[in-house]
Amino acid sequence: MKIHKYDTVIVGAGGAGMRAAIEATKRSRTAVLTKLYPTRSHTGAAQGGMAAALANVEEDNWEWHTFDTIKGGDYLVDQDAAEILAKEAIDAVLDLEKMGLPFNRTPDGTIDQRRFGGHTRNHGEAAVRRSCYAADRTGHMILQTLYQNCVKEGVEFFNEFYVLDQIIVEVDGVKKSAGVVAYELATGEIHIFQAKSVIYASGGTGKFFKVTSNAHTLTGDGQAACYRRGIPLEDMEFFQFHPTGIWRMGILLTEGARGEGGILRNKDGERFMEKYAPVMKDLASRDVVSRSIYTEIREGRGCGPEGDHVYLDLTHLPPEQLDAKLPDITEFARTYLGIEPYTDPIPIQPTAHYAMGGIPTNVEGEVLADNTTVVPGLYAAGEVACVSVHGANRLGTNSLLDINVFGKRAGIAAAEYAAKSDFVELPENAQELVVSQVERLRDATGTERVAELRKELQETMDANVMVFRTEQTIKTAVEKIAELRERYLNVSIQDKGKRFNTDLLEAIELGNLLDLAEVMAQSALARKESRGGHYREDFPNRDDVNFMRHTMAYREVGDDGTETIRLDYKPVVQTRYQPMERKY
Amino acid sequence: MATPTLDKEDVKPEAGFADSPYITITLRVRRFNPEVSADATWEDFQLEIDPKERVLDALHKVKWDMDGTLTFRRSCAHGICGSDAMRINGKNRLACKTLIKDINPGKPITVEPIKGLTVLKDLVVDMDPFFQAYRDVMPFLVTKGNEPTRERLQSAEDRERFDDTTKCILCAACTSSCPVFWNDGQYFGPAAIVNAHRFIFDSRDEAGEQRLEILNDKDGVWRCRTTFNCTDACPRGIEVTKAIQEVKRALITRRF
Ligand SMILES: Cc1cc2nc3c(=O)[nH]c(=O)nc-3n(C[C@H](O)[C@H](O)[C@H](O)COP(=O)(O)OP(=O)(O)OC[C@H]3O[C@@H](n4cnc5c(N)ncnc54)[C@H](O)[C@@H]3O)c2cc1C
Ligand code: SF4
Ligand code: FES
């Protein structure tokens, strides 16, 4: 075992982690621990763009953007945070351009902008061009640009290091962060990183669903590590289902395709979104479009012999436009479906896409131990965190924005905190939990297989807590997850070695997914209303009287060692926007 | 009613993408684990698969259902993260972008690690020398003078000039298909040159001369013998050889 000492440790090297690292490295001795090589992070998969009211192509301002974000989030957004997001968006985009990001350009040479779902002119009048983009690989360009600037700044990376535990110590009755415990993939060695500040930037948790746009590695490790150490998780019932995943595979086809003029059609060729969202049509917010697709499918207007998908039609767009603006996603259709998007519509279905919930933070990225108490030295930013700028439903292009705005804020705050603080003493045997977890799995002889349990988990999540939920379906999921957690204790792996033991890590990742799935299902069960991405058929309306509040889920361990989830609630920060009915 | 889900077995053929029956394939994988043996060996796995699935799906079937010790890198599963470049039937490709039906599944499908980088375990190679070459070409925008308050202006044509080389996902398929690199690991390799190109031809950048000097080195662009292996290997469709040629020309004319 090795012990390292850094001022600031960042967990994750996606957009949020690297944006934080650029700031933290300038101000403090910083290490970035990442389970993937930085450029493999899933930020690179983002396609459509990053929102900012630059007003380069038409009138726009950050106040309209703030409003859209709050309305898009079905009023569960903390309004102070949304205002910061929209205001700082402009500098966030300009920062990236100055770092070298090759945005598409207007004829004047400024950054070009395009339409995206839910982004409107003057509080909902019409779609506005607010998304700054680089073809349909904006996330790729952000990830590359940030990595390039990390190289320039000499950021220190520990690649293929898996953070498996968060060290929390109570000092005079105050919970403080002392560092993290990591597992080195190449050698199997355990490392302790003692740090004054720790920033979680470890991304989402989409892999508990089967049909998902998320990478195999998005297993919620950061959320799970903090949760197990007593940090609550906020709004975990809110998960976004993106309307246009490739049928059966879940690979994303950006909303930018509809921003460029693409149309959703049912088996009769009808442009069905006109019925559900007369003004915004195909560019209504994602939760609305995903529900509309499934309504079409349920009412027998789905396509294909099983009637289980609808079409994304790009055939009326000129091939040159597709080549220039949507080269990657048209290639996905060719590669994975053998379909030519110039002439044929693309079969799509909603795909599990984005975790609105996560580790609760304030606008400086400081992690909260309850509704108000900050955990000194602990920060989170990006998809792992819940600020909350996305509320019950994130608008497209607001996450690439989030990771830049709050990644930067967390990087600065963490480094400044480190500069004025001392190391917190490590507890004895800080590595104990990880060592025992690893040893238990290596020595296990049980009969259960990781892949089988994961498959069953994904199937139950898709069937029971996806776009439509009821008390009954959620309870089915809760029971199934409990069964799977029980069986997980009896799981064994085949690779007993030390080098590159991905068999072992997949088992650990499954444990994280199971913990988080349970939190999600329990949070969803208790929220007896429909709001944004959380749609309860048995409670189809939003209920502001009882549920205009964030869910806070705590892990409780009884004296006999039994684990339960305690749900509490946190008020939503409202500044100037009163909740209204959400129409598009 | 719950969200409709799909049971793969039930899906019937539909116009445009006829469903194909499952077939049996042999996956012949190059195995190496120094904890077990100093020698690499071939191992055959037989499995059932829908030919429209990816080689990555086949590897997962082996790992998840047959042999958990099989080790490879992967993340995004759709050709975007650059984790899973490997030699499939003797050619460098991404496992997640290669469909079984496109690689003659009637015969055993061979899968080996990419060449020229040290194999650490099964299909996992040491990527550090690859990333070091990348870092050596100053892969970041360099500008002088005061920062403008708004964005730097760039015409759509100037932006287009280096569009192709911005697509690189650093998968190493090109570099590890290059015979010059196999013989001499000191050569920067195509991927590093592609990333230098991305900045040399960016109208906003002011360090083109420096990068050209780096590539003028004995291990630089002049080692390229224009075999086009790299262009064939690139899963992003980047015209790698052309980019290298453009850098060579810029070195001669000092115009870029
Ligand atoms: C296909 C797709 C398209 C999208 N398109 C858009 C878009 O157009 N616009 C938009 O705004 N948003 C988009 N999003 C959402 C957005 O891309 C993501 O929410 C965002 O990039 C997340 O960034 P992140 O930095 O939080 O996490 P990630 O980029 O996922 O990075 C996570 C990092 O954490 C590391 N990590 C994870 N676990 C551990 C561990 N245990 N130990 C150490 N390191 C760990 C990983 O190695 C990785 O470096 C899209 C998402 C997807 C999936
Ligand atoms: S140029 Fe192509 S093959 Fe080479 S590293 Fe980049 S993406 Fe991979
Ligand atoms: S797994 Fe990401 S490129 Fe293949």
Side-chain angles (χ1 to χ4, degrees), chain B residues 3 87 92 154 192 224 236 247 251:
Chain B
T3 307
R87 256 167 99 79
N92 280 7
Q154 181 169 55
C224 166
R236 300 286 293 151
V247 171
L251 259 169

Side-chain angles (χ1 to χ4, degrees), chain A residues 140, chain B residues 82 85 92 94 130 164-165 167-177 190-192 194-195 230-240:
Chain A
H140 165 76
Chain B
N92 280 7
L94 296 178
F130 173 82
D164 202 33
T165 44
K167 294 178 192 156
C168 176
I169 54 173
L170 297 168
C171 69
C174 55
T175 297
S176 63
S177 72
V194 160
N195 283 281
C230 50
T231 302
D232 292 342
C234 179
R236 300 286 293 151
I238 299 171
E239 294 183 89
V240 182

